[in-house]
Amino acid sequence: MAHAAEISRAENQCVSASNRFAATIVRNQYGLPGYFTRTGLQPKLGYPACGEPCKEDCSIMRISPRLWLATLLVAGLAQSSQAESWKVDSAHTTVSFSVSHLFTSVQGRFDQFEGTIVFDPSDPKTSIVRGSIEAASINTNNAKRDKHLRSADFFDVEKFPKLEFESTQVTVTDASGKTGKIAGNLTLHGVTKPVVLDVKFLGSGKDPWGNVRAGFRADLTINRRDYGLNWNELLETGGVLVGEEIEIRIDVEGLLDA
């Protein structure tokens, strides 16, 4: 911001036309509109010239230094920002889950979803993540079980057709900036709860067809009863048929949104 002081000094000197021209040269170097054209001492369109000698009402020379400092700061941020928007590629993304059943576990997935990730590798804490899942697309490779899961005993998909997530904060947990935690709100079965995902950036690059892609992974464990998914069956030997904790894993391939 050293040049900001240089510009401010030039702007606050209500002096001769030659100095106003010098101020224009300084301002033009940093992409700001000047008081004169580069080719001579003709007033730049929209900037009335002051008389000689310069008078106190020569307001064009009295622009607040704070205003230009703010302008320079915004311009600098715009130039340095490298945030890019990635669209979740459903053909190369998996939203899977695991839940205990008796003495083992059942694996499943959701087949229909969409999402976007706004991500700046140089400043990952500014990331923004949004996603939604079609509840009816649940798939555990068993038609009878999937029908039960879509019913009012579980997801009640006719009443609550979508699961949704929106991030609220991103925290970086290692020096490389590739692992972190994403806090956000998860809406499931009509209930919204705060959650925290463990996330990892896996890299980015072009595929053989010139498309720019990036890889991400997220892991999360929730208690289904927190979202009103309470159905269960008691076992004769004690315990319950279906576990309460659900382990969720999301492997994302993002496509750069041009």
Side-chain angles (χ1 to χ4, degrees):
M1 289 299 179
H3 55 270
E6 186 178 5
I7 293 172
S8 296
R9 283 195 299 272
E11 288 174 342
N12 283 287
Q13 292 175 12
C14 192
V15 288
S16 68
S18 61
N19 278 358
R20 291 202 302 278
F21 183 68
T24 292
I25 298 301
V26 172
R27 291 162 60 83
N28 288 157
Q29 288 175 345
Y30 300 108
L32 300 173
Y35 303 115
F36 298 92
T37 64
R38 287 178 179 273
T39 55
L41 291 175
Q42 297 299 317
K44 187 175 177 69
L45 185 62
Y47 293 88
C50 299
E52 297 295 344
C54 186
K55 295 183 172 54
E56 280 298 314
D57 62 353
C58 185
S59 59
I60 192 61
M61 298 299 291
R62 292 294 186 183
I63 297 173
S64 167
R66 289 185 178 181
L67 176 61
W68 285 117
L69 188 61
T71 301
L72 289 167
L73 179 61
V74 171
L77 290 174
Q79 291 176 356
S80 64
S81 175
Q82 300 177 30
E84 295 175 315
S85 180
W86 303 86
K87 182 178 180 180
V88 172
D89 180 2
S90 59
H92 299 96
T93 296
T94 302
V95 180
S96 60
F97 63 87
S98 174
V99 60
S100 64
H101 181 271
L102 286 175
F103 310 108
T104 182
S105 62
V106 171
Q107 316 297 317
R109 66 182 187 273
F110 291 93
D111 292 332
Q112 295 177 26
F113 46 82
E114 60 184 12
T116 57
I117 301 169
V118 178
F119 178 66
D120 179 357
S122 66
D123 192 11
K125 66 180 180 294
T126 62
S127 301
I128 302 171
V129 179
R130 295 185 179 92
S132 66
I133 298 170
E134 297 292 334
S137 72
I138 193 166
N139 185 347
T140 64
N141 295 317
N142 184 290
K144 183 178 179 180
R145 180 170 55 213
D146 292 343
K147 183 178 179 180
H148 189 201
L149 289 171
R150 296 184 187 105
S151 75
D153 282 345
F154 286 96
F155 286 95
D156 198 358
V157 300
E158 291 189 6
K159 189 175 181 180
F160 307 109
K162 290 183 181 294
L163 293 73
E164 297 180 313
F165 175 82
E166 184 168 359
S167 65
T168 57
Q169 184 180 22
V170 178
T171 304
V172 178
T173 57
D174 76 335
S176 72
K178 292 186 177 182
T179 63
K181 294 181 180 294
I182 297 181
N185 294 314
L186 174 64
T187 301
L188 191 167
H189 197 243
V191 178
T192 301
K193 294 279 188 181
V195 296
V196 178
L197 292 78
D198 293 312
V199 296
K200 187 172 184 178
F201 172 55
L202 304 176
S204 63
K206 287 186 177 181
D207 65 20
W209 300 274
N211 303 302
V212 182
R213 298 179 177 272
F216 307 87
R217 173 175 168 171
D219 293 275
L220 169 68
T221 299
I222 63 172
N223 188 314
R224 63 187 178 91
R225 293 179 64 88
D226 291 342
Y227 296 88
L229 303 180
N230 299 320
W231 184 92
N232 225 324
E233 289 286 352
L234 295 175
L235 302 176
E236 290 183 0
T237 56
V240 292
L241 180 66
V242 182
E244 295 179 357
E245 286 196 342
I246 302 175
E247 296 178 359
I248 302 169
R249 171 171 168 168
I250 307 173
D251 293 281
V252 176
E253 187 167 292
L255 183 63
L256 185 62
D257 195 1

